[in-house]
C-alpha cells in the first residue's frame, strides 16, 4: 500500500492494522439488509431497460453502497467498541431506503432521500468523540454531500435526481481531491484552534483511523458473495414461473455456471473485487472498484432473470446489452485490478483484453442467437483468465524443462 509524503505537523501514514477478527453477527445482519436493497434495485431494470433506467439504477445503487460503506468503515475501525444501538438504527434506515425503491419515482422519493440523509448524518456523528480522522475514506466522516439530498426534499422530479447526483459527486470529489495528509492536517489545525480559544485541550488530538485490512477484505468479499446469491435467487424465482423445457434447463445451468465463474474471480482468491490481491490498494482506491463490480453484478442479476422469461425467443436488444455490458464492466474492473496486482502487460493483452472486448462484441452481434447460447458464451469469457493462466504456466514449464 503506497504511502503519501508527510507534511509538517502531520503524522506519517500508518499501514493498516491486521488481526484475526472476523465479521460479527451484527455486521452480517447489516450486510443482509443492504443487499435486500440491492435486490429491490435490480427490479428497476426488469424488462427492457433503457439508458435512463440504467442511469437511475446506478444513482440509487451508489447511494445504497455509500450508506453501507459508511457503517462498514465504522465497524472496521471501532471493532468491539461499536455502539450496537447506532448500528441498528442505521440498519433501519437502510431498510426504509430498500422499501422505498419500488415507489422511488413517485411518492416514496422523499422517504428514500430522508432515510439516506439520516443514515449519513448518523454515520458521521459516531466519529465526533472518537478523536479519529477517517483520512483513507473521508465520505464516512464528511456530511457536506448530504446537503443536496436535504434540499431535494422540497424539489420535484427530475430536479431531485440531479440534486442526488450532485450530492454523491461532492462526496466522491472530496474523497479523491483531498489527500490523506491534508485531511489529517486540517483536522489537527481545527483542534488546535479550538484548544486556543478555550485555553485547554478539547478532547484527544485527532489521529488517523487505521483500517483492519483483513477484516475489511472479508466484509467486501461477503457483500460480493451475498450479491451473487441474490442473482441466483432472482434466476431461480424466474425459472419457477416459466415452463420447464430443455432450453430453460440449458439457460439455468449456464446462469449458475456464469455466476460461479464470477464468484471464483471476485471471492475465491480475491478481496471481493475481481482479481484484486489482498491489501494491494489503499481503501480510497479499492472501495470504488468494489462499488462498480458489485453494481454490475446487481444489473447482471436483473438481466439473467429477464433472459429466463425470454428463453424460447430472441432476447430483446436492451436486455442483451444489459447482460453483456454488466459482464464487461465486471471484467473490466478485473482487468484493472489484475494489472495493479502485478500480472503485467502480457497478461493484460492475452487475458484481460479479450475478457472485456468479447462481451461487447456479443452485445453487438449476438442478437439472433438464443439466450442460453449467449449465457454459455459469457461463461467461456469469464473462464478465459483461468484458462490463459493455465496455458501460460504450461508454456513456462515446457520452456524451462531440460532437454
Amino acid at each position: 500500500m503506497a504511502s503519501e509524503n508527510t507534511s509538517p505537523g502531520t503524522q506519517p501514514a500508518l499501514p493498516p492494522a491486521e488481526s484475526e477478527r472476523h465479521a460479527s453477527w451484527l455486521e452480517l445482519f447489516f450486510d443482509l439488509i443492504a443487499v435486500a436493497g440491492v435486490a429491490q434495485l435490480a427490479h428497476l431494470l426488469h424488462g427492457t431497460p433503457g439508458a435512463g433506467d440504467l442511469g437511475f439504477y446506478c444513482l440509487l445503487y451508489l447511494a445504497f453502497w455509500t450508506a453501507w460503506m459508511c457503517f462498514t468503515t465504522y465497524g472496521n475501525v471501532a471493532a468491539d467498541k461499536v455502539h450496537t444501538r447506532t448500528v441498528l438504527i442505521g440498519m433501519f434506515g437502510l431498510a426504509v431506503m430498500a422499501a422505498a425503491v419500488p415507489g422511488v419515482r413517485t411518492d416514496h422519493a422523499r422517504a428514500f432521500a430522508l432515510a439516506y440523509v439520516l443514515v449519513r448524518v448518523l454515520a458521521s456523528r459516531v466519529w465526533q468523540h472518537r478523536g479519529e480522522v477517517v483520512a483513507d475514506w473521508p465520505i464516512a466522516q464528511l456530511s457536506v454531500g448530504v446537503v443536496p439530498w436535504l434540499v431535494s426534499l422540497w424539489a420535484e422530479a427530475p430536479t431531485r435526481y440531479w440534486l442526488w447526483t450532485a450530492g454523491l459527486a461532492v462526496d466522491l470529489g472530496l474523497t479523491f481531491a483531498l489527500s490523506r495528509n491534508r485531511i489529517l492536517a486540517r483536522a489537527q489545525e481545527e483542534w488546535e484552534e479550538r484548544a486556543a480559544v478555550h485555553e485547554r485541550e478539547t478532547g484527544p488530538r485527532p489521529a488517523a483511523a487505521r483500517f483492519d485490512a483483513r477484516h475489511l477484505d472479508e466484509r467486501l468479499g461477503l457483500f460480493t458473495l451475498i450479491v451473487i446469491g441474490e442473482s441466483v435467487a432472482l434466476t431461480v424465482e424466474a425459472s419457477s414461473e416459466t415452463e420447464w423445457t430443455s432450453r430453460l434447463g440449458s439457460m439455468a445451468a449456464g446462469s449458475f455456471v456464469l455466476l460461479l465463474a464470477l464468484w471464483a474471480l471476485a471471492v475465491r482468491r480475491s478481496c471481493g473485487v475481481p482479481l484484486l490481491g489482498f491489501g494491494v490498494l489503499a481503501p480510497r482506491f479499492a472501495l470504488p472498484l468494489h462499488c462498480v463490480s458489485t453494481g454490475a453484478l446487481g444489473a447482471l442479476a436483473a438481466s439473467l432473470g429477464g433472459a429466463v422469461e425470454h428463453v424460447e425467443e430472441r432476447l430483446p436488444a436492451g436486455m442483451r446489452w444489459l447482460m453483456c455490458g454488466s459482464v464487461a464492466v465486471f471484467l473490466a474492473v478485473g482487468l484493472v485490478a489484475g494489472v495493479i496486482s502485478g500480472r503485467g502487460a502480457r497478461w493484460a493483452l492475452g487475458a484481460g483484453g479479450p475478457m472485456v472486448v468479447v462481451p461487447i462484441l456479443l452485445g453487438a452481434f449476438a442478437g439472433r442467437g438464443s439466450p442460453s447460447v449467449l449465457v454459455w458464451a459469457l461463461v467461456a469469457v469469464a473462464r478465459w483468465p483461468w484458462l490463459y493462466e493455465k496455458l501460460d504456466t504450461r508454456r513456462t514449464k515446457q520452456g524451462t524443462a531440460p532437454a
Side-chain angles (χ1 to χ4, degrees):
M1 185 178 298
S3 61
E4 301 178 61
N5 295 329
T6 57
S7 57
T10 64
Q11 298 181 356
L14 298 175
E18 291 192 5
S19 69
E20 297 300 327
R21 182 166 63 96
H22 296 285
S24 66
W25 292 113
L26 180 62
E27 290 174 322
L28 293 175
F29 192 14
F30 192 91
D31 292 347
L32 290 174
I33 297 297
V35 177
V38 176
Q40 292 280 18
L41 290 173
H43 290 290
L44 295 177
L45 300 176
H46 186 73
T48 54
D53 298 319
L54 182 60
F56 196 58
Y57 165 82
C58 293
L59 172 63
L60 297 189
Y61 181 83
L62 181 56
F64 258 102
W65 185 91
T66 300
W68 169 79
M69 193 62 226
C70 287
F71 275 92
T72 299
T73 300
Y74 170 55
N76 180 270
V77 175
D80 56 350
K81 297 181 180 179
V82 165
H83 293 168
T84 302
R85 182 176 60 182
T86 301
V87 176
L88 292 176
I89 295 174
M91 289 170 55
F92 179 77
L94 280 180
V96 173
M97 292 173 64
V101 167
V104 73
R105 295 182 185 272
T106 54
D107 54 339
H108 291 168
R110 288 183 174 83
F112 183 91
L114 182 59
Y116 177 80
V117 169
L118 295 177
V119 168
R120 287 292 309 279
V121 171
L122 179 64
S124 65
R125 287 180 59 86
V126 299
W127 301 99
Q128 290 184 357
H129 304 292
R130 289 187 57 84
E132 292 175 305
V133 180
V134 194
D136 290 313
W137 189 246
I139 294 178
Q141 202 164 19
L142 301 176
S143 56
V144 62
V146 173
V147 175
W149 284 78
L150 190 60
V151 175
S152 74
L153 296 176
W154 292 273
E156 299 294 335
T159 304
R160 69 162 64 102
Y161 307 139
W162 287 110
L163 288 170
W164 295 357
T165 304
L168 294 170
V170 168
D171 285 329
L172 293 176
L174 290 176
T175 297
F176 293 104
L178 301 177
S179 68
R180 182 183 190 277
N181 291 330
R182 183 179 176 184
I183 294 173
L184 183 57
R186 179 56 182 165
Q188 292 177 347
E189 289 174 1
E190 292 177 351
W191 179 86
E192 292 172 355
E193 292 173 357
R194 292 194 302 269
V197 170
H198 296 87
E199 296 182 351
R200 60 182 176 83
E201 293 187 0
T202 55
R205 187 181 184 88
R210 297 184 65 189
F211 281 88
D212 186 327
R214 293 185 180 180
H215 178 263
L216 182 61
D217 288 343
E218 182 182 26
R219 291 294 303 278
L220 297 181
L222 287 171
F223 188 91
T224 302
L225 182 63
I226 298 173
V227 174
I228 294 176
E230 286 293 337
S231 302
V232 175
L234 290 176
T235 305
V236 169
E237 180 182 358
S239 300
S240 65
E241 300 174 354
T242 305
E243 182 181 358
W244 286 19
T245 62
S246 59
R247 286 190 176 183
L248 177 62
S250 176
M251 176 71 194
S255 299
F256 180 77
V257 176
L258 175 60
L259 294 172
L260 182 61
L262 300 182
W263 163 82
L265 292 175
V267 179
R268 190 178 181 186
R269 296 179 181 176
S270 302
C271 59
V273 178
L275 298 175
L276 181 64
F278 296 98
V280 172
L281 279 179
R284 70 167 61 201
F285 300 111
L287 296 182
L289 293 178
H290 181 265
C291 178
V292 173
S293 61
T294 52
L297 286 175
L300 177 63
S303 67
L304 291 176
V308 168
E309 299 175 0
H310 295 270
V311 69
E312 300 294 338
E313 57 194 47
R314 291 181 181 178
L315 204 60
M319 194 175 296
R320 183 180 74 249
W321 272 110
L322 180 63
M323 182 186 298
C324 296
S326 300
V327 174
V329 170
F330 182 88
L331 296 179
V333 173
L335 170 59
V336 174
V339 172
I340 293 173
S341 299
R343 285 178 168 83
R346 179 180 175 183
W347 177 90
L349 293 175
M355 70 182 185
V356 176
V357 173
V358 174
I360 298 175
L361 295 177
L362 289 173
F365 301 108
R368 296 186 178 183
S370 67
S372 60
V373 173
L374 177 60
V375 168
W376 280 106
L378 292 174
V379 169
V381 174
R383 293 300 289 165
W384 171 243
W386 172 83
L387 179 60
Y388 177 87
E389 292 184 357
K390 288 288 185 181
L391 296 175
D392 191 54
T393 301
R394 182 178 300 176
R395 285 195 301 266
T396 302
K397 290 181 178 180
Q398 292 176 349
T400 57

